[in-house]
Amino acid sequence: GQQLNQSPQSMFIQEGEDVSMNCTSSSIFNTWLWYKQDPGEGPVLLIALYKAGELTSNGRLTAQFGITRKDSFLNISASIPSDVGIYFCAVITGNQFYFGTGTSLTVIP
Amino acid sequence: DAGVIQSPRHEVTEMGQEVTLRCKPISGHNSLFWYRQTMMRGLELLIYFNNNVPIDDSGMPEDRFSAKMPNASFSTLKIQPSEPRDSAVYFCASTRQVANEQFFGPGTRLTVL
């Protein structure tokens, strides 16, 4: 099956710091998504990217769809304690939907 | 909209018992997905339906697992008999069409003793 490699696997940062995580694949995908999962809840969609090179922001979040269509990154600026959770990238191709392995983020107040 | 609704939120059962998890997708969504999440294996797609028809059940671990979608507003995932290794969080997600962003329910945390 398809594999999405997310890095880093986990991050421990101080409140106020910026965060960067990325997701890569050996295959080309036309839609990249970023989800956040709070402890004890289901994943919630943060940002959807549909065009290679696209840069999209949602508040303190910024995500980019790589020009090669094989990668994407997510940045969080000025982190706050409620940013804690697991961040997943996901891709859609045809009728298939794949999730990355997740990046666990801990924000230390 | 209430979002995807799952029940129960928590289920504790003994090995060998039958377990039924329930999902109500978002109204108007035509595709429904069942996932299982564990620390070891992450988020795994078990099966998905499009217009109430199972399309891909290749992720269903074994014959003890079965899923149905009798109508557009209801789906069940059944495990019989349950085993301790089935302990996980089971998520249901729905989407307007298969190739669109998925919206997840809150999950059912299953513990099989």
Side-chain angles (χ1 to χ4, degrees):
Chain A
Q2 303 288 354
Q3 268 199 318
L4 295 179
N5 299 309
Q6 271 190 257
S7 64
Q9 272 193 327
S10 60
M11 303 180 76
F12 292 79
I13 60 166
Q14 292 282 343
E15 182 177 357
E17 287 183 357
D18 296 343
V19 173
S20 185
M21 59 189 80
N22 68 1
C23 191
T24 61
S25 170
S26 57
S27 302
I28 289 174
F29 294 102
N30 293 323
T31 301
W32 286 76
L33 309 168
W34 285 94
Y35 284 83
K36 182 195 176 200
Q37 184 176 21
D38 288 328
E41 300 295 331
V44 173
L45 182 67
L46 298 174
I47 290 180
L49 303 160
Y50 301 104
K51 210 163 140 181
E54 179 182 354
L55 184 72
T56 297
S57 293
N58 178 6
R60 293 178 297 106
L61 307 178
T62 302
Q64 183 155 32
F65 186 163
I67 199 77
T68 63
R69 290 187 284 159
K70 291 184 177 182
D71 62 338
S72 176
F73 72 72
L74 175 71
N75 287 344
I76 305 172
S77 62
S79 58
I80 59 178
S82 61
D83 290 333
V84 69
I86 304 176
Y87 292 79
F88 292 98
C89 63
V91 292
I92 304 174
T93 180
N95 290 336
Q96 300 298 317
F97 200 98
Y98 302 102
F99 275 88
T101 49
T103 293
S104 175
L105 178 65
T106 301
V107 180
I108 303 164
Chain B
D1 198 317
V4 175
I5 298 173
Q6 288 187 248
S7 65
R9 290 295 308 271
H10 302 274
E11 175 86 24
V12 180
T13 191
E14 291 190 342
M15 183 173 66
Q17 297 297 307
E18 176 182 302
V19 174
T20 299
L21 312 181
R22 297 174 176 78
C23 176
K24 178 176 165 49
I26 293 172
S27 176
H29 282 193
N30 297 321
S31 298
L32 182 142
F33 302 74
W34 282 101
Y35 288 88
R36 177 172 67 177
Q37 187 177 39
T38 61
M39 288 291 291
M40 292 296 294
R41 302 171 72 97
L43 205 55
E44 302 173 275
L45 177 64
L46 301 177
I47 184 172
Y48 79 87
F49 296 83
N50 192 39
N51 293 322
N52 312 340
V53 176
I55 302 300
D56 184 354
D57 64 354
S58 58
M60 295 285 261
E62 47 197 276
D63 291 346
R64 297 184 297 106
F65 285 69
S66 62
K68 292 184 182 177
M69 192 164 185
N71 57 62
S73 58
F74 184 66
S75 176
T76 59
L77 177 68
K78 186 178 290 187
I79 308 172
Q80 182 185 16
S82 58
E83 297 182 4
R85 62 193 166 119
D86 301 330
S87 298
V89 181
Y90 291 81
F91 288 104
C92 174
S94 73
T95 181
R96 202 167 289 281
Q97 295 175 24
V98 172
N100 288 157
E101 308 89 271
Q102 295 179 11
F103 294 85
F104 282 76
T108 295
R109 180 173 292 278
L110 173 66
T111 303
V112 183
L113 302 173

